[in-house]
Amino acid sequence: MAQTTLKQKLGTTAAAAASVVLCAAFLLPVAWMVATSLKSTSEIFAIPPTWSFEPTLEHYQRFAGQARIVSRYINTIIIAIGSSALSVIVGSMCGYALARLRLRGAGVIATLILVSRAIPPIALVVPMYLVFRPLGLLDKHITLIITYTSFLIPYVVWLSRGFFIALPTALEDAALVDGCSRLGAYFRIILPTALPGLAATMIFCIILAWNELLFALILTNREAVTIPVSLAGLAADTEQGALWGPLTAIGTLTVLPIIVFALFVQKYLVTGLAAGATSGATN
Amino acid sequence: MTRLEALGGQTSKVTAPRRNLRRVFEPYVFILPTVIILITLLIYPLFYTLQASLSNFDTFTFSPATFAGFRHYERVLQDNNFWSSVRVTAAYLLAALPLQLALGVSIAFLISVQWPGSKIVRALFIIPMVVTPVVAGSMWKMLLDPLWGYVNYLLTLIGGKPVLWLADTNLALISVVIIDTWRWTPFIILIILAGIVSLDPEPVEAAKVDGANWLQRFVYVILPMLRPVILSAFLVRWLGAIKMFDIIYTATGGGPGNATEVINMYIYDTAFRSLSFERASAMSVLMVLAAFAFTFLFIRFSHWVER
Amino acid sequence: MFASKSRRVFTIFVLTLIVAISSVGLSSAQEQVTIYGMVNDAFARIWLENLVPAFNEKYPNIEVVIDPVPYGELLPKQLLELTSGAPSYDFIVTDDPWLPQLAATGLLMDLKTDLADVTDPDYNWDDFAPGALAAGEWNGGQYSVPVRSNLLLMFYNRTLFEEAGLEEPGEGYSWDDLAADLPQLVRDTDGDGTDDVWGIATYFGRDPLTPTIWQAIFNSNGGQLFDAELNPTFNTPEGIEALQYHIDLAQYGPPGVSAYTFTDTLEAFRQGRVAVMFNWGSVYHGVAINPETTSLTAEQVGVAPLPGGSAVDSSSHRGIWTAAIPREAANPEAAWTFIQWMTSQEGEVFTSATVGQFPARISTLTGEAPQDWLVDVFAAINAGYDAIGQGDMWRPRLPDSDGVQQILALHHSRAMTGDVTPEQALADAEAEIIEFLTDKGYYD
């Protein structure tokens, strides 16, 4: 008996060590990005590369107090959260129907929704521009929120469909017997039960929306421009070149909020997805 | 199961026609918002793309002008660059998807082991996905730079020779696959991990009692149970991968030659650089059709495997 | 009765008040105008911070709003903006090869004729260097005017030339001279057995701007991409030779130079690792003056046009940013006031001294340089204008200029990596360009 525990302990320690090493390997490029953002330009271009350096905030100061960057930050937050929330609410209803309700052609509908993600964004953005412009909808937060749902909803439908299949049926049956309508039962009983899974889905949606570039580039000019557009400008600077310092600095600033958010909801991240992933492909 | 449920509903209660009607229409209330949003947003762009692919496109008004038949499709199918981009895309998918799946499943298994810091490690794995593609591409370009990059420096430290990661025709696509794997393996890890955590623990315990070691348990017990999760992760990843190009755009620009020009990048350049919207549209249509066909096959295959 | 009467009086009173207030508001609104411009992200900020305030000192009633767009998506955005309904911009700033595409829509104003009435009588069109002004011409109309003159120039690191025991490039420096110098500029300065400074960095990787280097070499030897009927004329022994020359240059670059485009080139030169760089003139400030971006000083950095060939004794290529005004713009006069100010002699002196952009007027270029470091730059630009004028050194003047450059870039890159021979690359490029232009209806 004691031998097994020892063996188990050893196994756990080995697994822990290995996962820390692997995690570090995946994080190394990001760590490099953060380190580079804190180096002076001459240290960035040292040959051979340096390991220790005098940290400086000069590259961050470039953005501090730039009204444009701050407002674009706020735009990005509004648009990412808005589009993700809308997608999760709407998409999860669909996912529920496809998973639980008797629906003619559910499989075909699910496949079609999934495949709509394969349309090249370039084929969507130009016609969208042509429609939105005469309607006066360019450069509005709501426009980006709505258009982002076009690529987020399929994602939500596909994942949430999995969660609902895994959910026990007893709860909603009880609600239905109590005289609730399906819709009432859904919002009162089912949605709260699936909340952790939906929270995880929402994190993925936020990440996708947070980094979206092409729609933001074409559909905004001034008021609703997002951070990825600023980054694209920095990376394609035709005067100074892509300056490594500023680029890594704003890159770090962009990653930070999501990391904080992810650590905050890490509990949901694994338990939430669990149900969805296991049964996602079983039906 | 849903059918049984429905039958039960019909027999247990006094069947009122209104109730039946509600049963039929109710599901559509649930899918309606999604369908309306997707159709509103996608139907016109799809129609426009289809129309543009069949017309002589007028760049001066940005609209399809006269009907051109299948001329653009013919041109696309005779275009060496198109077929080259199809080959590059296929090579990238064949290398990246299995690699990411294998790595993702193994790492997920590894970090599914509980220890005091395991939750933090799991959450940290999300970070590579968060880095904006433009930054991720530039960042890797810098890391792989033969002059100032850390990767070659580390190589020389351990006695290797400096390598031209992005400038060498044969290596460039491999480098792209490495970057893509770094970026998207975490997605697979998180989904598979979620699957592992929610597995029924009983068969695993039973195998343990029977004296199976961890590798045997993984290969013969856990992996088969995970098959549906793996397939589902694969589907989502596959549909993301076929339209990937942002990283390539910043890291190699499709070069050297057309070594890293994937189909979606070629469509982008044709539309926005060469301003040949009609050809870009024809390629988009072909790409969506191909994506649909393959996805359908994958889903069929997954059903077949489960049975 | 009484109540309704008083209400009527009250209504009239209120209406009068509203009319009075709004007429005051209107008259002041007429004076105060806001104009909107779509500008390359790379210089939008410096315009906002330095250029606009200076303009507003003289014209406080014109507010200038500048929207930056990243370079890569600027052309499609401007094209969409122009072609789909009432323009939301009063001026757009566009790159050299894009102007024909934008002008061909018929949606830009001809600045010389449409705005003649509101042009300052002192605004001297003839003072512009003809090669520079040509960047805004299309089909005989003047659809835009140079605001940010830019040419391919040769930058050289004087210290590295000196250390290698070489004379720095002077008048009449030729491609052969460069070929002779380059091997000696690759050196191991710290004696550890590996080279650590190199001869050259420039565009070699896959990029629409990479062929401009080949084009400059080809043009300076008398070659042209097309004849008058748009038949490709570059698949010739001279064209192949120029391509081979460009490819061979990469032997003398740092490791990985074969993938270099704009940024890598710039960084290698700014960090003092290469002796020669071919790049756009507008990088000069960031290369020689601004300590935040460069390790070099103005004394170290020499600047001149690219070397000369058999037909023209120096070479360059044009990449001038010009400003245009949409035909349906809301405030074309105010926009033209801003652009005139910026491109007047006074404006050019100001912008070259503070915004780091180069003039297109002969009087500015030959006049007293507003900053010491601009003396060399002005001389190089002057010589560059001569060269481009003599050798027609610019990208094809067609609406589909970028499409042609895109095809050239691909096949250039294939030759660069050794996938195909230069002969094969140019033959493929020729065939593809003919197919592309046929498709676009150029030979109808």
Side-chain angles (χ1 to χ4, degrees):
Chain A
M1 225 32 179
Q3 204 188 359
T4 356
T5 356
L6 186 69
K7 222 171 136 192
Q8 242 173 10
K9 253 191 187 159
L10 272 175
T12 310
T13 317
S19 46
V20 167
V21 168
L22 277 165
C23 188
F26 270 83
L27 294 188
L28 217 54
V30 183
W32 173 88
M33 175 175 81
V34 178
T36 303
S37 73
L38 295 169
K39 284 184 178 180
S40 68
T41 307
S42 63
E43 268 167 333
I44 293 176
F45 293 103
I47 300 181
T50 52
W51 293 106
S52 62
F53 56 91
E54 192 93 357
T56 165
L57 286 177
E58 59 176 280
H59 304 305
Y60 289 88
Q61 275 152 9
R62 190 185 157 103
F63 304 109
Q66 253 194 63
R68 195 169 260 164
I69 294 284
V70 175
S71 75
R72 285 181 174 189
Y73 225 101
I74 296 168
N75 290 344
T76 315
I77 293 171
I78 294 174
I79 290 163
I81 291 181
S83 60
S84 304
L86 183 62
S87 302
V88 168
I89 292 169
V90 168
S92 62
M93 281 174 72
C94 180
Y96 172 74
L98 293 177
R100 276 295 171 79
L101 305 181
R102 197 175 163 205
L103 198 63
R104 219 170 246 282
V108 178
I109 294 175
T111 311
L112 276 177
I113 290 176
L114 182 64
V115 171
S116 74
R117 287 196 63 214
I119 306 169
I122 189 94
L124 297 176
V125 74
V126 168
M128 278 179 178
Y129 178 95
L130 297 175
V131 171
F132 290 148
R133 176 123 190 235
L135 297 175
L137 285 173
L138 288 187
D139 205 19
K140 299 238 184 308
H141 295 85
I142 187 73
T143 309
L144 278 195
I145 290 176
I146 300 275
T147 48
Y148 282 12
T149 61
S150 74
F151 63 85
L152 294 179
I153 287 182
Y155 202 73
V156 177
V157 170
W158 199 246
L159 282 176
S160 65
R161 180 171 163 271
F163 305 139
F164 291 121
I165 291 175
L167 229 54
T169 49
L171 271 174
E172 59 186 295
D173 286 347
L176 285 173
V177 169
D178 278 355
C180 276
S181 70
R182 273 275 178 192
L183 215 55
Y186 175 74
F187 281 109
R188 253 183 281 160
I189 313 288
I190 299 159
L191 202 60
T193 329
L195 217 51
L198 297 180
T201 310
M202 180 137 169
I203 293 173
F204 284 117
C205 287
I206 288 177
I207 291 176
L208 287 178
W210 187 263
N211 288 334
E212 202 286 330
L213 173 62
L214 190 64
F215 287 93
L217 249 173
I218 300 299
L219 301 179
T220 66
N221 299 325
R222 193 174 312 128
E223 306 297 338
V225 184
T226 58
I227 286 284
V229 178
S230 291
L231 285 166
L234 269 179
D237 189 316
T238 57
E239 301 288 317
Q240 313 197 50
L243 295 173
W244 290 22
L247 200 60
T248 48
I250 195 168
T252 305
L253 288 179
T254 326
V255 172
L256 225 56
I258 306 262
I259 295 177
V260 172
F261 188 60
L263 283 174
F264 188 66
V265 291
Q266 44 122 340
K267 196 175 75 189
Y268 293 117
L269 211 60
V270 168
T271 48
L273 264 179
T278 354
S279 35
T282 52
N283 250 37
Chain B
M1 186 178 75
T2 38
R3 184 165 300 162
L4 270 179
E5 218 178 34
L7 280 174
Q10 266 171 355
T11 44
S12 64
K13 298 263 166 190
V14 193
T15 26
R18 251 187 62 204
R19 208 181 169 77
N20 260 333
L21 212 64
R22 207 168 85 179
R23 275 211 176 271
V24 173
F25 283 110
E26 219 166 25
Y28 295 96
V29 175
F30 279 84
I31 68 165
L32 215 56
T34 291
V35 170
I36 288 176
I37 289 184
L38 287 183
I39 286 184
T40 326
L41 284 172
L42 300 180
I43 200 81
Y44 176 71
L46 282 175
F47 170 75
Y48 176 95
T49 304
L50 199 62
Q51 196 192 12
S53 75
L54 295 168
S55 322
N56 296 308
F57 192 83
D58 185 358
T59 334
F60 302 140
T61 58
F62 250 92
S63 56
T66 50
F67 184 68
F70 288 91
R71 193 163 64 89
H72 304 309
Y73 288 91
E74 276 169 36
R75 256 210 75 185
V76 165
L77 295 176
Q78 289 164 2
D79 179 0
N80 290 332
N81 298 328
F82 171 73
W83 288 111
S84 153
S85 74
V86 170
R87 277 194 300 275
V88 171
T89 311
Y92 151 72
L93 290 173
L94 283 173
L97 291 179
L99 179 66
Q100 290 169 17
L101 270 185
L103 261 181
V105 172
S106 330
I107 295 179
F109 180 62
L110 194 65
I111 64 173
S112 69
V113 177
Q114 299 260 4
W115 52 279
S118 61
K119 273 195 173 154
I120 301 287
V121 168
R122 290 173 190 180
L124 287 177
F125 260 108
I126 205 175
I127 292 175
M129 260 190 293
V130 184
V131 183
T132 309
V134 178
V135 177
S138 316
M139 191 170 99
W140 275 95
K141 204 179 165 186
M142 300 178 211
L143 278 168
L144 297 175
D145 190 289
L147 210 50
W148 349 89
Y150 269 80
V151 174
N152 271 355
Y153 173 61
L154 292 177
L155 264 184
T156 50
L157 276 190
I158 57 168
K161 285 214 170 236
V163 174
L164 304 183
W165 293 98
L166 297 168
D168 184 298
T169 322
N170 301 314
L171 269 180
L173 191 62
I174 296 176
S175 306
V176 166
V177 169
I178 293 175
I179 302 173
D180 193 64
T181 301
W182 166 78
R183 199 169 148 69
W184 285 109
T185 303
F187 172 78
I188 311 258
I189 295 175
L190 286 171
I191 292 204
I192 305 288
L193 176 64
I196 294 176
V197 170
S198 66
L199 280 184
D200 185 356
E202 231 162 75
V204 186
E205 287 303 318
K208 220 187 240 178
V209 172
D210 287 349
N213 66 25
W214 66 271
L215 189 64
Q216 287 167 327
R217 290 201 298 271
F218 178 59
V219 175
Y220 298 110
V221 185
I222 297 178
L223 218 48
M225 286 165 74
L226 271 180
R227 203 153 48 199
V229 192
I230 295 172
L231 282 163
S232 131
F234 170 79
L235 277 181
V236 174
R237 184 66 206 105
W238 133 259
L239 281 167
I242 47 169
K243 55 176 193 175
M244 185 280 237
F245 87 111
D246 37 21
I247 293 277
I248 294 180
Y249 200 80
T250 25
T252 68
N258 36 24
T260 56
E261 187 171 60
V262 288
I263 174 96
N264 208 25
M265 167 144 186
Y266 188 49
I267 292 177
Y268 182 88
D269 274 345
T270 307
F272 266 19
R273 294 286 186 285
S274 309
L275 297 173
S276 298
F277 255 81
E278 60 281 34
R279 265 194 303 138
S281 300
M283 285 190 275
S284 302
V285 171
L286 292 176
M287 185 176 149
V288 172
L289 289 178
F292 187 81
F294 276 107
T295 309
F296 190 75
L297 278 179
F298 291 146
I299 292 177
R300 266 292 142 91
F301 178 72
S302 77
H303 282 218
W304 179 76
V305 168
E306 275 156 39
R307 264 175 226 138
Chain C
M1 273 301 260
F2 179 75
S4 86
K5 195 178 176 186
S6 70
R7 195 187 301 152
R8 200 174 302 152
V9 172
F10 180 70
T11 312
I12 290 168
F13 179 73
V14 168
L15 277 179
T16 321
L17 194 69
I18 289 173
V19 170
I21 290 172
S22 58
S23 65
V24 169
L26 271 179
S27 67
S28 70
Q30 265 165 1
E31 282 167 16
Q32 192 67 39
V33 184
T34 304
I35 55 172
Y36 299 90
M38 191 194 282
V39 173
N40 179 0
D41 197 311
F43 48 80
R45 198 177 141 212
I46 199 161
W47 276 26
L48 262 184
E49 286 173 1
N50 297 5
L51 193 64
V52 173
F55 170 70
N56 281 341
E57 272 174 30
K58 201 163 175 191
Y59 299 91
N61 60 321
I62 301 177
E63 190 194 347
V64 186
V65 176
I66 286 173
D67 287 344
V69 176
Y71 180 75
E73 283 72 24
L74 196 52
L75 172 64
K77 261 208 103 157
Q78 294 183 333
L79 207 53
L80 279 169
E81 156 69 23
L82 274 183
T83 54
S84 59
S88 32
Y89 286 96
D90 299 291
F91 67 97
I92 56 178
V93 177
T94 195
D95 198 7
D96 200 321
W98 302 338
L99 191 268
Q101 174 78 51
L102 298 170
T105 60
L107 297 168
L108 293 181
M109 283 189 165
D110 184 331
L111 303 176
K112 270 186 178 166
T113 56
D114 294 337
L115 290 163
D117 297 346
V118 287
T119 302
D120 185 338
D122 293 336
Y123 192 75
N124 186 358
W125 285 101
D126 301 329
D127 187 25
F128 286 107
L133 197 59
E137 282 167 16
W138 172 248
N139 261 355
Q142 187 71 50
Y143 292 98
S144 61
V145 54
V147 292
R148 227 181 146 83
S149 290
N150 210 352
L151 295 173
L152 266 187
L153 293 179
M154 174 171 70
F155 296 77
Y156 51 92
N157 186 321
R158 291 200 172 101
T159 315
L160 292 180
F161 267 82
E162 203 176 301
E163 283 175 12
L166 291 171
E167 197 123 321
E168 68 177 75
E171 192 103 350
Y173 195 68
S174 69
W175 295 110
D176 291 339
D177 294 336
L178 178 69
D181 283 351
L182 283 179
Q184 302 175 60
L185 289 163
V186 183
R187 291 178 307 123
D188 171 16
T189 54
D190 58 9
D192 68 349
T194 50
D195 293 328
D196 44 30
V197 295
W198 291 270
I200 188 163
T202 187
Y203 288 91
F204 289 108
R206 183 174 169 182
D207 188 289
L209 291 169
T210 301
T212 57
I213 308 290
W214 161 69
Q215 281 159 285
I217 302 168
F218 183 46
N219 293 157
S220 70
N221 288 322
Q224 281 298 318
L225 278 196
F226 295 102
D227 65 13
E229 277 77 47
L230 269 186
N231 301 302
T233 50
F234 58 80
N235 185 15
T236 58
E238 292 76 30
I240 294 163
E241 199 189 324
L243 181 53
Q244 187 65 55
Y245 184 93
H246 186 190
I247 293 169
D248 289 343
L249 288 179
Q251 298 166 30
Y252 308 108
V257 78
S258 64
Y260 273 24
T261 55
F262 180 71
T263 294
D264 326 67
T265 300
L266 207 48
E267 219 52 89
F269 188 81
R270 287 196 293 222
Q271 299 306 321
R273 293 286 164 184
V274 292
V276 177
M277 163 174 82
F278 301 155
N279 212 326
W280 300 92
S282 57
V283 304
Y284 184 87
H285 189 264
V287 159
I289 309 297
N290 185 359
E292 276 179 32
T293 54
T294 188
S295 71
L296 307 174
T297 61
E299 290 74 43
Q300 270 178 296
V301 179
V303 61
L306 270 57
S310 58
V312 189
D313 60 7
S314 64
S315 62
S316 181
H317 232 250
R318 196 182 67 197
I320 291 182
W321 289 88
T322 58
I325 299 176
R327 194 162 281 286
E328 308 289 327
N331 290 301
E333 290 179 22
W336 183 225
T337 305
F338 175 61
I339 295 168
Q340 274 187 91
W341 171 79
M342 187 176 16
T343 58
S344 67
Q345 213 191 340
E346 178 204 339
E348 281 199 336
V349 170
F350 174 80
T351 55
S352 42
T354 54
V355 192
Q357 61 195 35
F358 302 143
R361 289 181 175 275
I362 298 165
S363 63
T364 322
L365 280 168
T366 53
E368 194 189 333
Q371 302 256 344
D372 286 345
W373 58 269
L374 282 170
V375 176
D376 287 353
V377 177
F378 280 10
I381 292 173
N382 248 333
Y385 282 146
D386 283 348
I388 60 165
Q390 285 176 50
D392 290 351
M393 297 170 184
W394 40 73
R395 280 160 278 178
R397 292 301 278 179
L398 324 163
D400 289 291
S401 189
D402 254 20
V404 171
Q405 289 294 130
Q406 200 75 33
I407 295 170
L408 290 173
L410 167 64
H411 295 289
H412 187 294
S413 179
R414 288 170 69 223
M416 189 71 225
T417 56
D419 285 356
V420 295
T421 60
E423 288 84 356
Q424 188 63 45
L426 290 187
D428 290 349
E430 181 183 34
E432 227 173 90
I433 286 172
I434 290 174
E435 197 180 354
F436 175 69
L437 293 179
T438 308
D439 210 40
K440 292 279 188 176
Y442 280 88
Y443 301 118
D444 294 347

